[in-house]
Amino acid sequence: DVKVTQSSRYLVKRTGEKVFLECVQDMDHENMFWYRQDPGLGLRLIYFSYDVKMKEKGDIPEGYSVSREKKERFSLILESASTNQTSMYLCASTRGGRETQYFGPGTRLLVL
Amino acid sequence: DAKTTQPTSMDCAEGRAANLPCNHSTISGNEYVYWYRQIHSQGPQYIIHGLKNNETNEMASLIITEDRKSSTLILPHATLRDTAVYYCIVREGVTGGGNKLTFGTGTQLKVEL
């Protein structure tokens, strides 16, 4: 079974804090993704990575950065958290191409 | 990626089959139909996908019409744990980051006793 894990299920941070969200997959997948999900807006892609140390911006990268130092781990960084970054953050991975994307359980972030 | 249309919500009695429709009239020849579901406050879960033939796995069956303009996800014996939002997605997979998923609003399936 593919397993995608995220470091926290729930997180509360203050405005201006630096926030790290970590995602780990155990299936040797090349591609990893970070999405955020908000009511009425669906799933929106923040960043993705198709190889170690490679990253590409998704649809809404502003205010975020990512790091992929190892194949199994993809980190999302909020350099200075703001209240409009309160959201559900979802990590996904896939072997590539038309392969199925597998999601982690999500991290619900609240920025006060 | 082609646009999909799904009913906003559906109810189903426990133990009965749940049939969730999806229209994708603009689907192109190399686009797959994917189904995911999302139980409240959890990450989306992959269910099944297909190109043109009907597919079945341990979770569900996927029936795709011959013209591929619509499909139906069938949960043969729905249980309370199947209560979730079901998303129908059509997409063409490409190498690298082009294979992002775009979820619409989906169908809220409520399974009741």
Side-chain angles (χ1 to χ4, degrees):
Chain A
D1 263 3
V2 175
K3 195 159 184 191
V4 181
T5 56
Q6 294 182 229
S7 49
S8 306
R9 289 300 309 274
Y10 301 94
L11 212 50
V12 180
K13 294 291 180 181
R14 296 210 173 270
T15 302
E17 278 193 77
K18 191 168 185 175
V19 182
F20 291 88
L21 302 181
E22 289 220 314
C23 175
V24 178
Q25 49 91 6
D26 65 357
M27 283 302 291
D28 202 35
H29 284 173
E30 280 81 22
N31 295 348
M32 296 186 75
F33 303 79
W34 276 107
Y35 295 89
R36 63 178 282 180
Q37 185 176 34
D38 301 287
L41 296 176
L43 218 59
R44 292 182 291 168
L45 181 65
I46 305 171
Y47 266 97
F48 61 90
S49 168
Y50 51 89
D51 203 351
V52 175
K53 296 193 186 295
M54 306 300 286
K55 61 186 178 186
E56 294 226 7
K57 293 179 181 179
D59 299 321
I60 51 162
E62 296 78 20
Y64 303 94
S65 62
V66 289
S67 171
R68 189 144 180 226
E69 295 297 317
K70 293 185 178 180
K71 193 174 187 180
E72 67 270 18
R73 190 179 299 267
F74 192 34
S75 302
L76 179 70
I77 303 150
L78 286 65
E79 296 290 342
S80 177
S82 62
T83 54
N84 63 12
Q85 291 178 311
T86 290
S87 186
M88 170 76 131
Y89 288 88
L90 292 161
C91 174
S93 76
T94 178
R95 189 158 40 223
R98 297 169 192 253
E99 298 287 335
T100 300
Q101 286 195 21
Y102 294 92
F103 285 83
T107 296
R108 196 167 287 280
L109 172 67
L110 172 63
V111 183
L112 299 172
Chain B
D1 291 343
K3 182 180 162 63
T4 63
T5 305
Q6 299 177 252
T8 304
S9 64
M10 292 182 67
D11 294 333
C12 179
E14 190 177 33
R16 304 295 294 268
N19 298 296
L20 294 99
C22 179
N23 285 322
H24 31 79
S25 58
T26 60
I27 192 170
S28 62
N30 54 359
E31 285 184 314
Y32 286 71
V33 180
Y34 277 78
W35 283 85
Y36 282 77
R37 73 180 182 185
Q38 190 170 21
I39 295 168
H40 183 61
S41 293
Q42 296 184 24
Q45 178 189 22
Y46 164 78
I47 302 173
I48 198 166
H49 75 282
L51 184 63
K52 50 186 173 183
N53 297 323
N54 297 338
E55 301 286 344
T56 295
N57 63 20
E58 64 279 3
M59 287 182 71
S61 295
L62 174 61
I63 308 297
I64 303 174
T65 57
E66 197 166 335
D67 63 7
R68 301 208 325 122
K69 292 186 177 182
S70 65
S71 60
T72 301
L73 178 76
I74 301 171
L75 308 178
H77 306 287
T79 71
L80 297 178
R81 287 179 295 179
D82 292 322
T83 293
V85 179
Y86 287 76
Y87 296 99
C88 168
I89 302 152
V90 291
R91 56 178 278 256
E92 176 188 352
V94 295
T95 304
N99 57 352
K100 70 175 183 182
L101 285 179
T102 302
F103 282 27
T105 51
T107 296
Q108 171 67 63
L109 175 68
K110 188 175 178 184
V111 181
E112 299 172 309
L113 292 170

